[in-house]
Amino acid sequence: MATQVIMPEMGEGVIEGTVARWLKEEGERIEEFEPLLEIETDKVTTEATAEVAGTLIKIYVEEGETVPVGTVLAAIGEPDESVPEEPAAFGEEPAEEEEEGAVTLEEAGAPEEAAVAERAEAAQQKPAAGRRNGGPGGDGQERDEELPFADWASPVVKRIAQEHDVDLSQVPGTGRGGRTTKKDILAYLEKLEEKEVEKEPAAAPAAPEPAVRRAPRPEAAPERARKAPAPRAPEAAPGDVIPVTGMRRSIADHMVRSKKTSPHVTTVFEIDFTNVINHRSEQRKKLTFTPYIVAATAQALREHPIINSSWTEDGIVLKERVNIGVAVALEDGLIVPVVKDADHYSLRGLAGQLDDLVGRARRDELKPGEVQGGTFSITNHGVSGSLFAMPIINQPQAAIMGVGKIEKRIKIIDDAIAIRPLAYVTLTFDHRILDGATGDFFMQTFKEIIENWE
């Protein structure tokens, strides 16, 4: 009997998912635990594996479709096994007597083969000059219907194509039936950028600048190397309505809900990073500032457990684990991967965890569990040059820390003028849980750890 492939629950509060890409075609053999498809939510894209070995007999949900958790996505069974044309309700078996709705593997493949042939024929027809997806054809008329691949792309792929003015019929597809996937269009854009670079004429040699102007400040160089690419604004003219992505809508809903839920209060401290910079200069492998900030935060949370808590109607729940989320800026939004048990790692251990999580966040490779379970959040907005910010609490946490740009400023020390690398660090907290003095005591501890780093 065929086994149903079900849209899994991708995490707490996630009630639906989008089939981003099928990794197997109908009729292909798949082994147990082998990756079967990619599922995209408003937070992450992850692979789902097959629970049984067999043949992928029937795909019910096409790429780009968003369906609720529990929806039957496909059927796996024997090659000659018949399955219903429409999936039975979750938890119910298809009725044996309903032979009219059953299709064999060969029958199921026929329409797909015809569709592939149709797309292949259409792909050979070059679009008229100046025509693009959603744009005018050579005669000035809208020709969206003449771009066969546009209708076969997922919403994510269409959005990327629209933002970069790409005609999807020109992008080679590696997905099922020749469909253009997210990886295809990103690879296509990368090749375009390489060609543009090759076309650029070599600049005339300029007189060398003084070394002091060309060399970046030592304390800023590593952070600049890790900085995320600047968010790309979608191409639109004044008066246009820009479609909202799933990630953008999720961020909007979460932030509005947080402001309505918690009375936000912010306290600000100026912190001297001299000793941290000195310690970094002694490391064989240069570290960024983020591991230091996470390590100091983890220690301060252990000393002030009320900060590592959440509000409930039954009382304030103190969290057993110190799970610190670190905000990562993406081109189309923001994601907060979580370092679980951050207080159990050494400084280098934290650096390794952060490198892995941040890297995979920017490659859309995070698993749902890696953005859940946080008990405290940090946003290092200083990497983009910001000096001061009052971030919104990541519910249901009690507080969030914002770290501004570390830069040299004048400071009075023992009645003498000194120049020190300083940063404004803010703590925004839920006033239902914390009072000002409690938040300040926590920040004093964080400040002492950073300024006395050995």
Side-chain angles (χ1 to χ4, degrees):
M1 178 179 175
T3 299
Q4 296 172 329
V5 178
I6 306 299
M7 173 64 75
E9 185 175 354
M10 304 295 290
E12 184 180 356
V14 180
I15 60 174
E16 63 183 13
T18 301
V19 176
R21 182 164 69 112
W22 284 101
L23 305 177
K24 294 288 184 179
E25 297 183 5
E26 288 184 357
E28 276 196 76
R29 173 77 182 178
I30 188 166
E31 301 300 327
E32 186 178 8
F33 304 128
E34 185 180 0
L36 176 60
L37 74 157
E38 291 180 355
I39 298 174
E40 185 177 74
T41 70
D42 55 9
K43 295 183 178 179
V44 296
T45 299
T46 189
E47 288 183 350
T49 58
E51 297 183 358
V52 297
T55 298
L56 183 58
I57 303 174
K58 178 72 174 175
I59 292 177
Y60 293 112
V61 178
E62 298 294 337
E63 293 179 359
E65 292 186 32
T66 300
V67 295
V69 170
T71 300
V72 179
L73 304 177
I76 297 176
E78 298 301 324
D80 57 351
E81 190 171 354
S82 296
V83 294
E85 183 67 29
E86 297 295 333
F90 179 50
E92 298 179 4
E93 298 182 2
E96 295 182 0
E97 65 273 16
E98 293 182 2
E99 294 296 334
E100 294 182 1
V103 294
T104 62
L105 177 62
E106 290 77 10
E107 293 170 342
E112 179 61 26
E113 293 173 3
V116 173
E118 182 182 346
R119 291 198 300 275
E121 181 181 352
Q124 296 176 358
Q125 302 176 359
K126 299 296 182 183
R131 190 181 74 186
R132 60 182 177 86
N133 185 21
D139 56 1
Q141 301 298 317
E142 292 292 330
R143 295 298 178 88
D144 238 273
E145 66 278 9
E146 293 189 11
L147 299 181
F149 286 86
D151 292 336
W152 285 81
S154 69
V156 175
V157 173
K158 290 181 180 179
R159 175 175 53 78
I160 295 174
Q162 183 181 23
E163 290 177 359
H164 296 274
D165 199 14
V166 171
D167 183 343
L168 283 175
S169 67
Q170 303 301 305
V171 182
T174 61
R176 189 172 66 88
R179 179 169 302 183
T180 303
T181 66
K182 182 178 179 181
K183 290 183 180 179
D184 294 334
I185 192 169
L186 291 179
Y188 180 81
L189 290 171
E190 186 175 347
K191 289 182 180 179
L192 286 181
E193 291 178 0
E194 291 175 357
K195 290 181 180 179
E196 290 297 325
V197 171
E198 292 174 0
K199 291 180 181 179
E200 290 180 1
E209 297 181 8
V212 68
R213 293 183 59 190
R214 296 176 58 189
R217 293 199 335 238
E219 65 268 24
E223 286 294 322
R224 186 178 298 117
R226 284 189 49 175
K227 189 165 58 176
R232 296 178 180 175
E235 296 182 5
D240 289 352
V241 176
I242 301 174
V244 178
T245 65
M247 175 177 284
R248 188 76 263 156
R249 189 174 299 279
S250 176
I251 293 171
D253 293 342
H254 193 58
M255 294 299 96
V256 170
R257 185 166 61 251
S258 180
K259 290 293 284 186
K260 290 181 178 179
T261 300
S262 301
H264 285 52
V265 178
T266 300
T267 185
V268 186
F269 278 66
E270 187 178 55
I271 296 181
D272 189 338
F273 278 79
T274 298
N275 284 352
V276 168
I277 291 174
N278 291 339
H279 186 271
R280 290 176 67 235
S281 66
E282 298 170 359
Q283 302 301 304
R284 293 180 181 179
K285 182 180 178 181
K286 190 69 70 177
L287 302 176
T288 67
F289 289 113
T290 308
Y292 291 90
I293 294 167
V294 174
T297 301
Q299 183 177 337
L301 287 173
R302 277 300 180 199
E303 296 186 28
H304 303 271
I306 190 65
I307 310 293
N308 197 50
S309 67
S310 62
W311 174 272
T312 71
E313 294 305 317
D314 295 329
I316 298 171
V317 179
L318 300 182
K319 303 297 183 179
E320 296 180 2
R321 302 171 66 183
V322 175
N323 299 336
I324 298 179
V326 180
V328 177
L330 306 178
E331 288 186 355
D332 56 351
L334 184 76
I335 197 168
V336 186
V338 178
V339 181
K340 304 292 178 62
D341 300 310
D343 54 328
H344 293 177
Y345 288 95
S346 65
L347 183 64
R348 287 203 172 276
L350 282 173
Q353 286 288 310
L354 289 165
D355 285 342
D356 174 58
L357 288 170
V358 172
R360 288 192 291 115
R362 291 173 180 161
R363 297 192 301 269
D364 290 335
E365 295 177 358
L366 288 177
K367 299 176 182 178
E370 292 173 323
V371 295
Q372 298 169 353
T375 61
F376 186 90
S377 295
I378 297 172
T379 174
N380 190 2
H381 55 87
V383 297
S384 57
S386 170
L387 295 178
F388 183 90
M390 293 185 290
I392 298 175
I393 298 169
N394 188 7
Q395 295 296 328
Q397 298 168 18
I400 182 171
M401 178 183 289
V403 182
K405 180 181 180 180
I406 301 172
E407 63 177 3
K408 291 182 178 180
R409 291 197 287 268
I410 295 175
K411 185 176 180 67
I412 306 299
I413 302 177
D414 297 329
D415 293 332
I417 297 176
I419 299 177
R420 292 287 187 269
L422 304 172
Y424 296 115
V425 179
T426 62
L427 180 73
T428 299
F429 55 88
D430 186 339
H431 211 338
R432 298 174 303 173
I433 301 173
L434 311 176
D435 294 323
T438 309
D440 289 345
F441 290 150
F442 168 80
M443 289 299 291
Q444 283 285 3
T445 300
F446 175 83
K447 178 181 174 75
E448 291 170 4
I449 296 170
I450 290 293
E451 294 188 343
N452 295 285
W453 198 281
E454 295 180 354

